[in-house]
Amino acid sequence: MPRKKPPPTYRERLQDLVASRLGRILVVGLASAVLLLGVGAVVRKARTHASGLRPYRLGPKSVRFVGLDARLGPLLTASLVDGRGFPINVSVFDPDAEQQVRDAVARHPLVAQVKRVDVRYPNRADVEVRLRRPAAWFEVRDRRGRPGYVLVSDDAYVLDHHLSGAMLEQPSVPLPRVVGVRAPRPQYVGQQWADLAEQVAEGLAAAEVSRRLYRDFRSRVQVDVIDVSAFPAPPHRRREGELRLRLSGGTVVEWGRTERALNEVAGEDLYATKRWRLETQLVRRSPNRTGRIDVRFRLAREGQTLAALR
């Protein structure tokens, strides 16, 4: 009786598998995986090494601001790339490089918004920003009580008036002066100025009112001074306007509150009605006459106000 053939060994089975079509596919796949793993390890090592090299690192001088107004001038442009404004030290290969550049530039006191960041090899970042816009001069006093003024942006940040000079030289609307703020003066440039009484916020809202009046009246009405000393006032002390606008001709306008805080005051109208009322009363006045105009309330009181001004 013939002897039974012994079962194939593991080596023979492996050889048969490799000789088959499936085996060839598996061998090619395994070789490719090993190759990719090796290449990946080399690339990671190369990137780790390159990330520490100076030619591939982003710093303040790597940032190029695009879309800036050419009228801003070299002083302001130079201050934007000053390393003290936004310290950056990140590799162009870092996956978070774009976000780090965005966060750093956003902390610059002149930058209101970072619109776009494009990191470009080997060591450049193109950044598009919106700069803070000067809104008004705020009267402040030092420790000895001496008066002075600080320049404040429309989002309540204190600006360096030397750096913002180019923007001040060509304003679309003359900047008013805000007086009567009781809050302590800001301590440094780049500080966001806020107070519990919200006089700063109301003063900035009034500065926006002055811009609208200047444009709506085609530069015939210019607000020189915004007085917020009576803001905020309790209801029983609102006989006079909480905000007073002194025009360039000397006329004082009892404007009342801006629309930012108008919902707390019954009877005061919105901007459009106040503007119409101001225009009506200015037409009735002599061109050289100064005095006081109250534009706060509705028609029931307009006759009394006009009679008092005649």
Side-chain angles (χ1 to χ4, degrees):
M1 185 174 181
R3 181 180 296 180
K4 185 177 180 181
K5 185 177 181 181
T9 63
Y10 287 109
R11 183 177 181 179
E12 292 173 337
R13 292 177 180 178
L14 181 60
Q15 289 176 345
D16 292 341
L17 176 61
V18 171
S20 67
R21 181 180 179 184
L22 176 61
R24 290 193 295 271
I25 294 175
L26 292 176
V27 169
V28 172
L30 179 61
S32 300
V34 172
L35 179 62
L36 290 176
L37 183 62
V39 171
V42 172
V43 170
R44 284 196 299 273
K45 186 175 181 180
R47 291 186 63 174
T48 301
H49 175 70
S51 64
L53 297 178
R54 185 178 298 275
Y56 303 103
R57 298 196 69 81
L58 299 172
K61 294 184 179 180
S62 304
V63 176
R64 188 181 71 172
F65 289 92
V66 297
L68 290 179
D69 192 332
R71 299 175 298 176
L72 292 179
L75 183 61
L76 187 144
T77 304
S79 71
L80 285 174
V81 297
D82 189 341
R84 294 170 295 181
F86 52 92
I88 300 174
N89 186 15
V90 61
S91 171
V92 72
F93 299 111
D94 193 319
D96 295 329
E98 179 178 315
Q99 189 61 45
Q100 290 193 40
V101 172
R102 178 181 295 273
D103 293 343
V105 174
R107 290 193 292 269
H108 195 285
L110 286 173
V111 175
Q113 178 189 10
V114 180
K115 296 181 178 180
R116 176 174 57 90
V117 175
D118 291 331
V119 175
R120 300 181 180 274
Y121 181 85
N123 58 0
R124 197 182 83 192
D126 291 346
V127 181
E128 183 179 0
V129 299
R130 178 174 63 84
L131 298 179
R132 290 197 163 94
R133 183 182 65 174
W137 293 96
F138 275 69
E139 184 183 47
V140 295
R141 295 186 179 274
D142 61 15
R143 295 178 180 177
R144 297 182 179 180
R146 295 174 299 188
Y149 287 89
V150 294
L151 184 63
V152 181
S153 68
D154 52 6
D155 57 351
Y157 279 82
V158 179
L159 301 176
D160 185 337
H161 65 275
H162 295 99
L163 297 181
S164 302
M167 288 185 279
L168 295 174
E169 291 173 2
Q170 298 176 341
S172 56
V173 178
L175 299 186
R177 289 173 290 144
V178 180
V179 301
V181 176
R182 297 183 294 273
R185 66 175 297 161
Q187 299 299 311
Y188 55 89
V189 171
Q191 175 183 350
Q192 188 174 27
W193 196 14
D195 60 308
L196 294 178
E198 298 186 352
Q199 287 184 303
V200 174
E202 188 69 357
L204 291 173
E208 177 60 29
V209 169
S210 74
R211 283 192 290 270
R212 295 179 67 180
L213 290 175
Y214 187 83
R215 291 165 181 158
D216 289 350
F217 283 89
R218 298 182 180 180
S219 74
R220 291 182 290 109
V221 172
Q222 178 179 327
V223 177
D224 284 347
V225 179
I226 300 170
D227 187 350
V228 298
S229 58
F231 180 89
H236 64 280
R237 297 183 60 184
R238 291 178 183 155
R239 183 174 181 179
E240 296 180 340
E242 292 178 87
L243 289 186
R244 298 175 182 174
L245 313 180
R246 192 175 75 195
L247 307 183
S248 56
T251 300
V252 175
V253 179
E254 299 281 359
W255 186 266
R257 294 193 173 192
T258 66
E259 295 181 10
R260 186 195 70 88
L262 196 57
N263 58 340
E264 302 175 15
V265 181
E268 284 196 29
D269 288 307
L270 300 178
Y271 169 85
T273 304
K274 289 181 177 181
R275 183 200 60 77
W276 170 82
R277 193 173 291 126
L278 176 62
E279 182 177 17
T280 301
Q281 297 190 26
L282 287 176
V283 169
R284 293 172 175 262
R285 299 170 65 84
S286 169
N288 298 323
R289 183 181 177 185
T290 61
R292 191 176 301 272
I293 297 177
D294 193 335
V295 299
R296 292 176 293 165
F297 300 110
R298 293 184 172 87
L299 295 173
R301 296 185 57 178
E302 283 185 6
Q304 302 174 11
T305 304
L306 287 172
L309 290 173
R310 291 193 181 98

